[in-house]
Amino acid sequence: MTYIAHIREIDHQQQTVKEHLLGVKELAELFGEKIGVKHIAGLAGMLHDLGKYTNEFRQYILEAVHNPDSPPKRGSVDHSTAGGKLLYKLYHPGIGQPYKGLLAEIVGNAIISHHSYLHDFLNQQLESDYLHRVRDKVLVEFERTEQLFFEHVMSEEEFHSYADKAAAELEAFIAKECSASTEEKAMFLTKFIFSALIDADRTNTRLFEENKTEESIRDHNELFAAYYKSLMDKLNSFANRADGSPIHQLRSEMSEQCDRFAERPSGIYTLSIPTGGGKTLASLRYALKHAMKYSKKHIIYVVPYTTIIEQNAAEVRKILMDDVNILEHHSNVVDDLDEDDENFDGFMNVRQKLKLAKDNWDSPIIFTTMVQFLNVFYAKGSRNIRRLHNLCESVIVFDEVQKVPVSCVSLFNQALNFLQTYGRTGIVLCTATQPALDFVESRLEISPDAEMIDNLDHVIASFKRVEVIDRATSEEFDNEKLCEFITGKMDEVQSVLVVLNTKTVVKKLYEQLKTTMSSVPIYHLSTSMCAAHRNDLLDEVREHLKKGDKIVCVSTQLIEAGVDVSFECVVRSLAGLDSIAQAAGRCNRHGEREIRQVYVIDHAEENLNRLKEIKIGKEISKRILIDLKRDRTYHGGHILSVQAMDKYFKEFYTKFTSDLNYFIPKLRKDMTTLLSAKIADNPYFQEYRSKYKERPPLFLANSYRTAAEHFRVIDDLTTSVIVPYGEEGKDIIAELSGHSRIEDLTRLLRRAQQYTINLFDHELRILSQNGGLASCLDGKVLVLKESAYSDEFGLDVENDSQFDLSIY
């Protein structure tokens, strides 16, 4: 009898269970080699679909294919438990064999979870979801399944030998010297194995469905060498055209320093180039050279805002002359956080095709956001964690790293420490204002002599192009007063940028300026606009600036980090020193003029009650400004000095000490405790022992799923929707409603990245009530109707924008 893993949609060709298990094992081994756990990952691969060696699954899949209009009952077949159960049976008899037992838990959890998300070893009810599956659940055909595996896939003797190698890898992994506890090491290893398994399983399934034997993979080292040559050609052309100004000379010197620094072994390094100093190209030069020398697989840029993704990716594409191999990943267009898809496995439908569409960060160069990076490690959903193994053996550049949300600082540090220690990853913390990430309790293990740029104080002084004028410590502004101030400034200068802390105040000021300054182009930017929309507006802004036209731009902080614009005057509403420094970087950016002014104001109409980090940052900055007003020699003599920044960040993180470990109010627990607390410090373990007068029969007691369910990089949960901006946005929505091939979905979902916005729950509710939302692909992808998107403001939750509704 032939046991079936999958049936191809187009020709009903069958993939056997043996073919699938060995194919996934081979891919998982390849991924596992990155961190020296080839056999641990391979073990997960060869056992993940062991439960398909049953008559029950065979009948289920044949019935599903031959009766598509009347599929089998949901929940009728469990094929993911058997592999974890086999490991538990063979290697987890009590707690007598520590490494074999730990191996059974780590690999077994990945196997039983591969259609949803990792299970808790012990949860708040003091129950073990893991033990419920691998120890307690009865599988009627289990003994026959085990027999078939040893007959067809790997002999029992070979299997035990293979497991011995996996246990030896685990022992070496745990023994590696670093600051992490055994539990923290086991947590990251479990997530890595889960990532490798998910990607190997989906890749093998997709290749079978597309009738391909293997991926066509281009040698990235050759590609990086070609990229490096293109970059150097461009930098040399810049040097030939340079006007000999000190700014251009400094940029060139810092770029050279980055090139030399790339010879050093991988570690966690800092690149503190001042705003406007050419961080993007200097860091790319480092990354390409380091990737070539140390055979890295990917170069990944992680940025705080999507505006930087479009700009930086466009700049890099232009220089490297390659549109195909540079991926922008803004958000997850497809939501799979709450989906357990085990009962769709084996045959094709829209959900399966969406799952198999390539979304694994396997491109040579990737631009993504801090939200997406943190989601890879900590958020629920297999789509996120699938990408984790591709962060290893890579170069990762964190642009504007000071924007790591306070609650995620410890989690961020732990992830980077894992990538450095185990992942063979080179990490660059790239910003004009380095935060004190090694000051907090969960310290970042920054390499010795980590700074790439020599003599920072001199560099910062040489880059001075603005003076920061304090208008915040002795007076307050409202929009009316600010409007008068801007009007007055426009008599002196050609361009003014105003950066405020809330979207509401930005929108009101924009509308007021349009009324009072009707002869001057006024622009408005916010996160209510999709990336492509903001990019188009920024192109218009740059064109006005280039021509020397009169122009005013009003924006939220999204314009600060990395957006290449240069205004004659900037007004910044009081916030953290890092934000003030970033706003200053949009003024006289290239030193085109003599010293220009950046005005810091206190805006009375901003409601910061729900923006705690901005509110605290504002208070600390105000105190530093008051100190400088009293004595100009304090804090290095100016607001943007290294000393002022150091004081700011230490005070900032001290203020948030209780929040740094991601506190979950509902559980009254830190997320770091749930994920990686030692047994002696694990509250659920201790409660279990107190209640039952014995320890639970587990090596690990951490709560991976519970932690993931409560994780949000930002406080409010958001949902990505595709918007009908421009012809491109409308075309993407129309095509998603029609195409069904996996390769088409892969292409469309990538194109859709620039046409998404994130909606808060209250916005989703309003749009659902007034008919502003639609969906496609079986409801898995949400789209905004044209009436709910405005060319002026972006999202219109009232759904009353005047647009053509013909595509619906």
Side-chain angles (χ1 to χ4, degrees):
M1 182 186 295
T2 302
Y3 289 90
I4 307 163
H6 299 102
I7 296 177
R8 189 182 294 140
E9 181 182 40
I10 194 168
D11 59 6
H12 284 197
Q13 181 71 31
Q14 296 176 357
Q15 182 189 42
T16 67
V17 176
K18 177 182 179 180
E19 289 167 343
H20 182 55
L21 294 184
L22 291 178
V24 175
K25 167 183 170 286
E26 185 178 344
L27 274 173
E29 286 177 339
L30 185 67
F31 300 153
E33 279 183 319
K34 296 176 184 179
I35 66 167
V37 294
K38 170 182 175 179
H39 295 90
I40 302 177
L43 199 61
M46 79 167 94
L47 291 177
H48 79 287
D49 274 356
L50 179 63
K52 291 184 177 180
Y53 267 128
T54 60
N55 293 324
E56 186 183 22
F57 185 82
R58 188 175 187 279
Q59 291 166 5
Y60 157 80
I61 191 172
L62 290 171
E63 184 182 341
V65 170
H66 296 307
N67 300 291
D69 297 329
S70 179
K73 181 183 174 184
R74 276 182 62 85
S76 58
V77 179
D78 170 358
H79 64 268
S80 63
T81 297
K85 199 173 187 70
L86 179 63
L87 286 173
Y88 183 84
K89 172 189 170 184
L90 295 176
Y91 302 127
H92 202 290
I95 53 172
Q97 304 176 55
Y99 289 108
K100 283 284 184 70
L102 189 57
L103 181 72
E105 290 183 3
I106 288 171
V107 179
N109 198 346
I111 290 171
I112 65 174
S113 308
H114 78 272
H115 283 290
S116 54
Y117 191 75
L118 291 166
H119 285 61
D120 289 339
F121 286 109
L122 204 60
N123 62 28
Q124 63 195 107
Q125 286 77 41
L126 308 185
E127 297 170 346
S128 174
D129 300 330
Y130 164 78
L131 288 176
H132 170 69
R133 289 284 295 276
V134 302
R135 181 190 66 186
D136 304 333
K137 190 168 186 178
V138 176
L139 301 178
V140 176
E141 297 184 63
F142 180 70
E143 290 184 4
R144 175 65 177 155
T145 296
E146 181 182 355
Q147 180 186 344
L148 288 167
F149 173 79
F150 288 134
E151 283 179 9
H152 295 289
V153 180
M154 184 177 281
S155 72
E156 195 164 354
E157 183 181 353
E158 287 176 308
F159 181 81
H160 287 301
S161 173
Y162 194 95
D164 286 341
K165 292 174 183 173
E169 289 172 351
L170 177 58
E171 186 172 2
F173 187 94
I174 297 297
K176 192 157 188 171
E177 262 189 62
C178 67
S179 61
S181 65
T182 296
E183 286 78 8
E184 186 179 324
K185 293 174 181 178
M187 180 267 291
F188 280 116
L189 178 58
T190 304
K191 293 195 171 199
F192 179 91
I193 296 301
F194 189 47
S195 170
L197 173 58
I198 293 288
D199 199 16
D201 180 25
R202 293 184 181 181
T203 299
N204 177 267
T205 304
R206 177 175 55 78
L207 290 172
F208 170 73
E209 183 62 25
E210 294 176 341
N211 199 15
K212 296 177 182 176
T213 54
E214 59 183 26
E215 298 274 24
S216 55
I217 301 174
R218 188 175 174 184
D219 188 299
H220 287 185
N221 223 42
E222 287 183 12
L223 200 60
F224 291 149
Y227 287 164
Y228 183 77
K229 183 181 183 306
S230 297
L231 175 61
M232 292 309 298
D233 288 346
K234 179 60 71 173
L235 291 175
N236 289 333
S237 74
F238 287 161
N240 294 334
R241 293 202 315 264
D243 55 12
S245 72
I247 294 284
H248 284 120
Q249 191 175 341
L250 271 171
R251 285 173 178 162
S252 179
E253 287 173 7
M254 289 188 289
S255 177
E256 290 284 351
Q257 288 182 49
C258 289
D259 193 287
R260 291 194 295 273
F261 209 94
E263 300 282 347
R264 291 177 56 168
S266 297
I268 300 178
Y269 300 119
T270 59
L271 177 56
S272 303
I273 290 181
T275 303
K279 287 196 299 291
T280 301
L281 296 189
S283 60
L284 179 62
R285 185 172 177 179
Y286 167 87
L288 288 170
K289 188 165 185 180
H290 192 75
M292 288 188 295
K293 182 173 177 64
Y294 293 98
S295 300
K296 302 302 183 187
K297 304 290 193 297
H298 313 280
I299 294 171
I300 302 166
Y301 276 85
V302 179
V303 303
Y305 307 123
T306 53
T307 40
I308 316 175
I309 291 183
E310 303 109 49
Q311 176 185 284
N312 289 6
E315 186 177 4
V316 169
R317 278 196 185 96
K318 189 175 178 182
I319 291 171
L320 303 184
M321 295 176 290
D322 188 346
D323 287 330
V324 175
N325 293 300
I326 300 172
L327 171 69
E328 293 179 48
H329 187 262
H330 301 246
S331 58
N332 284 344
V333 177
V334 183
D335 177 17
D336 68 346
L337 296 186
D338 297 312
E339 180 161 294
D340 183 334
D341 66 356
E342 182 161 3
N343 301 299
F344 297 108
D345 193 28
F347 59 96
M348 280 297 112
N349 58 25
V350 170
R351 292 186 179 195
Q352 287 298 92
K353 288 174 183 176
L354 280 170
K355 182 182 81 171
L356 299 180
K358 288 180 73 173
D359 195 6
N360 58 351
W361 289 1
D362 65 344
S363 299
I365 297 182
I366 299 148
F367 287 86
T368 191
T369 65
M370 181 63 73
V371 170
Q372 295 303 322
F373 173 81
L374 289 167
N375 280 347
V376 166
F377 283 96
Y378 301 113
K380 196 177 173 188
S382 56
R383 187 175 298 276
N384 291 309
I385 203 168
R386 177 183 180 182
R387 304 164 185 141
L388 192 154
H389 74 90
N390 277 329
L391 295 173
C392 298
E393 285 194 329
S394 296
V395 182
I396 307 180
V397 178
F398 290 92
D399 199 359
E400 313 299 348
V401 73
Q402 77 281 357
K403 296 296 184 183
V404 178
V406 165
S407 62
C408 299
V409 165
S410 290
L411 297 173
F412 176 78
N413 287 354
Q414 288 179 344
L416 264 60
N417 290 341
F418 163 75
L419 289 172
Q420 174 191 228
T421 304
Y422 290 101
R424 304 167 186 170
T425 298
I427 295 166
V428 181
L429 308 180
C430 185
T431 176
T433 53
Q434 289 290 350
L437 294 174
D438 60 341
F439 171 74
V440 300
E441 185 181 349
S442 290
R443 294 169 65 90
L444 188 64
E445 294 171 2
I446 293 179
S447 305
D449 302 317
E451 178 53 51
M452 293 188 187
I453 303 302
D454 298 330
N455 200 356
L456 266 183
D457 281 331
H458 167 72
V459 170
I460 290 170
S462 301
F463 255 89
K464 185 173 182 183
R465 294 148 295 168
V466 302
E467 61 175 334
V468 178
I469 297 174
D470 171 17
R471 295 287 297 267
T473 56
S474 56
E475 59 183 318
E476 281 191 336
F477 281 71
D478 57 17
N479 269 349
E480 186 174 344
K481 182 176 177 179
L482 182 53
C483 195
E484 289 175 10
F485 180 79
I486 295 164
T487 304
K489 278 289 145 196
M490 288 303 290
D491 292 334
E492 305 170 16
V493 299
Q494 293 296 100
S495 58
V496 173
L497 169 66
V498 186
V499 185
L500 305 178
N501 290 317
T502 66
K503 286 196 289 188
T504 303
V505 177
V506 164
K507 188 175 179 181
K508 286 179 179 176
L509 178 63
Y510 165 75
E511 290 174 327
Q512 195 164 343
L513 285 169
K514 276 207 313 177
T515 303
T516 58
M517 301 177 65
S518 56
S519 61
V520 176
I522 313 291
Y523 283 86
H524 160 264
L525 293 167
S526 87
T527 51
S528 294
M529 301 164 178
C530 71
H533 189 172
R534 290 195 304 266
N535 220 29
D536 286 346
L537 290 177
L538 281 168
D539 284 344
E540 290 183 32
V541 168
R542 290 188 187 103
E543 189 60 28
H544 283 299
L545 292 171
K546 184 179 177 182
K547 291 177 179 177
D549 298 340
K550 290 276 186 183
I551 180 177
V552 176
C553 181
V554 187
S555 176
T556 59
Q557 62 182 347
L558 67 85
I559 200 170
E560 291 176 339
V563 178
D564 189 7
V565 288
S566 182
F567 288 79
E568 280 191 61
C569 174
V570 169
V571 179
R572 183 46 164 109
S573 183
L574 189 57
L577 282 202
D578 56 323
S579 294
I580 294 170
Q582 292 300 325
R586 307 319 117 193
C587 183
N588 199 20
R589 184 171 176 81
H590 307 293
E592 306 98 319
R593 301 171 181 84
E594 295 299 313
I595 299 295
R596 307 304 301 181
Q597 286 71 44
V598 174
Y599 295 91
V600 179
I601 65 164
D602 189 355
H603 201 299
E605 295 176 30
E606 291 179 339
N607 182 357
L608 303 180
N609 290 335
R610 296 188 64 194
L611 300 170
K612 186 179 177 184
E613 293 181 28
I614 294 177
K615 189 175 184 179
I616 296 295
K618 174 179 175 176
E619 291 168 0
I620 299 170
S621 295
K622 194 167 189 175
R623 287 198 293 273
I624 294 174
L625 283 170
I626 290 169
D627 286 345
L628 284 166
K629 184 180 276 190
R630 288 175 183 156
D631 186 341
R632 294 301 303 176
T633 64
Y634 278 13
H635 311 308
H638 63 98
I639 192 70
L640 303 183
S641 70
V642 172
Q643 297 90 326
M645 286 295 170
D646 190 56
K647 176 178 174 58
Y648 170 78
F649 279 113
K650 285 184 177 176
E651 205 169 314
F652 185 75
Y653 287 133
T654 300
K655 196 82 176 176
F656 281 97
T657 299
S658 61
D659 299 326
L660 296 172
N661 293 332
Y662 201 100
F663 183 69
I664 302 170
K666 188 175 179 181
L667 301 179
R668 303 191 63 75
K669 302 282 186 297
D670 290 334
M671 191 163 161
T672 50
T673 299
L674 294 175
L675 287 173
S676 55
K678 297 176 182 177
I679 288 289
D681 302 322
N682 188 310
Y684 298 152
F685 183 92
Q686 297 306 329
E687 287 174 36
Y688 183 101
R689 193 156 65 174
S690 174
K691 181 176 181 178
Y692 297 108
K693 309 304 178 191
E694 62 180 9
R695 62 172 285 157
L698 292 162
F699 294 91
L700 297 170
N702 301 102
S703 311
Y704 301 154
R705 180 171 288 201
T706 296
E709 285 172 343
H710 288 88
F711 180 71
R712 307 281 185 271
V713 178
I714 54 176
D715 290 338
D716 294 294
L717 180 63
T718 59
T719 302
S720 293
V721 300
I722 304 175
V723 303
Y725 172 71
E727 292 307 314
E728 177 81 353
K730 295 170 192 172
D731 287 348
I732 289 168
I733 292 170
E735 287 191 63
L736 279 171
S737 302
H739 279 288
S740 58
R741 291 191 309 164
I742 295 170
E743 59 189 288
D744 292 329
L745 291 173
T746 298
R747 175 180 54 80
L748 284 168
L749 292 177
R750 287 190 173 185
R751 277 175 61 199
Q753 288 295 316
Q754 287 205 19
Y755 295 85
T756 61
I757 59 171
N758 292 318
L759 300 182
F760 294 109
D761 281 345
H762 72 276
E763 292 171 327
L764 269 179
R765 283 195 300 273
I766 294 169
L767 286 164
S768 297
Q769 289 164 5
N770 63 28
L773 279 177
S775 66
C776 50
L777 298 174
D778 282 0
K780 295 303 291 177
V781 175
L782 290 177
V783 299
L784 211 60
K785 290 190 176 180
E786 290 186 57
S787 54
Y789 196 82
S790 153
D791 261 350
E792 189 169 18
F793 297 110
L795 172 68
D796 180 359
V797 291
E798 302 305 323
N799 189 26
D800 60 2
S801 295
Q802 300 303 308
F803 277 95
D804 176 24
L805 297 176
S806 59
I807 69 165
Y808 294 99

